[in-house]
Amino acid sequence: MGFLSEISLFRYGASRALRKLCVAIAASVALTVPALAENITIAALGDSLTQGYGLPQEEGFVPQLQAWLSAQGAEATLINAGVSGDTTAGGLSRVAWTLTDDVDAMIVALGGNDLLRGIAPEVSRANLVGILDAAQQKGVPVMLVGVPAPNNYGPEYKAAFDAIYPELATQYEALHFESFLSAITERQDMQGAMRIYMQPDGIHPSAKGVALIVEAMGPSVLELISRAR
């Protein structure tokens, strides 16, 4: 065998070995990347706050949260399962068909309309238990968003209602976000915050208010995504 032939064989062997190495690396990456890049589908089960009442579609809670998650590089798709005027009973009545097979996680933000109607705390609790049971049966992690009760129903009612969310979150090992509107209601200048970040009805956030809510809630949603993987 001549010198040039030996060089050719060496080059052929080196090239072949390099190809084998590349294939091995690609196979290793293929085994690990899908788990990181897997798209997570999140259903946001809620009322008018979730639905985006009074706002252009693109400025509502779900679209703004979707944009925030995308900006963080999170591979997630949100489903707007908010219905204006819905109570915890309404959420329970439709949770079964909300939890389709492609839903990997769920945000539950219900209870505000229960408060407006003065529904007994034990009734609201039972409805939320039904929702959490449905999610648990499907193996879907949940973030439970609280709604602090006002004082006008009395201290006993408030204490009973406010306890629902942290207690159920602990019981079902769900994430707990204390209050949907906390990013607005906890600001020092409450009057100024209401004027800038709430709609004239004083109940629903403006587009700027939604942006504050999303910024505050976003990290918890990222944790929910992590749990769903």
Side-chain angles (χ1 to χ4, degrees):
M1 182 182 295
F3 179 69
L4 292 178
S5 297
E6 290 181 359
I7 291 177
S8 297
L9 283 173
F10 174 78
R11 287 178 175 173
Y12 172 75
S15 176
R16 189 176 181 187
L18 182 60
R19 285 199 301 271
K20 285 184 177 180
L21 178 61
C22 290
V23 169
I25 293 173
S28 175
V29 170
L31 288 173
T32 57
V33 168
L36 298 175
E38 178 187 0
N39 188 77
I40 298 298
T41 299
I42 306 171
L45 183 70
D47 49 33
S48 56
L49 296 177
T50 302
Q51 184 265 335
Y53 177 87
L55 296 173
Q57 183 177 355
E58 67 277 7
E59 294 181 352
F61 170 71
V62 170
Q64 287 208 46
L65 180 57
Q66 179 74 72
W68 188 92
L69 291 172
S70 296
Q72 306 305 309
E75 296 287 339
T77 300
L78 289 171
I79 297 173
N80 192 339
V83 174
S84 291
D86 221 358
T87 61
T88 55
L92 177 59
S93 70
R94 58 194 177 87
V95 69
W97 52 263
T98 298
L99 287 171
T100 57
D101 290 342
D102 61 334
V103 171
D104 305 299
M106 185 166 63
I107 298 170
V108 177
L110 289 162
N113 289 305
D114 294 50
L115 290 172
L116 291 175
R117 300 181 187 190
I119 293 172
E122 60 268 22
V123 174
S124 301
R125 178 187 286 267
N127 292 330
L128 288 171
V129 164
I131 291 170
L132 291 166
D133 279 341
Q136 190 175 71
Q137 289 168 12
K138 297 278 286 188
V140 170
V142 170
M143 184 172 83
L144 188 60
V145 182
V147 185
N151 294 314
N152 54 306
Y153 292 121
E156 291 184 3
Y157 182 102
K158 178 173 175 57
F161 196 94
D162 289 353
I164 294 172
Y165 298 90
E167 289 178 1
L168 291 185
T170 298
Q171 180 181 340
Y172 285 88
E173 298 183 344
L175 290 170
H176 175 225
F177 191 82
E178 187 174 357
S179 169
F180 194 99
L181 295 173
S182 60
I184 299 172
T185 59
E186 293 177 0
R187 296 183 76 84
Q188 287 187 333
D189 181 9
M190 187 61 185
Q191 289 186 343
M194 292 295 290
R195 185 175 60 256
I196 298 171
Y197 300 115
M198 297 294 287
Q199 296 181 41
D201 63 9
I203 297 175
H204 300 94
S206 65
K208 288 182 178 180
V210 172
L212 283 182
I213 292 165
V214 165
E215 186 176 352
M217 195 181 296
S220 295
V221 179
L222 289 176
E223 186 176 347
L224 179 65
I225 293 170
S226 179
R227 290 191 178 192
R229 293 198 187 283

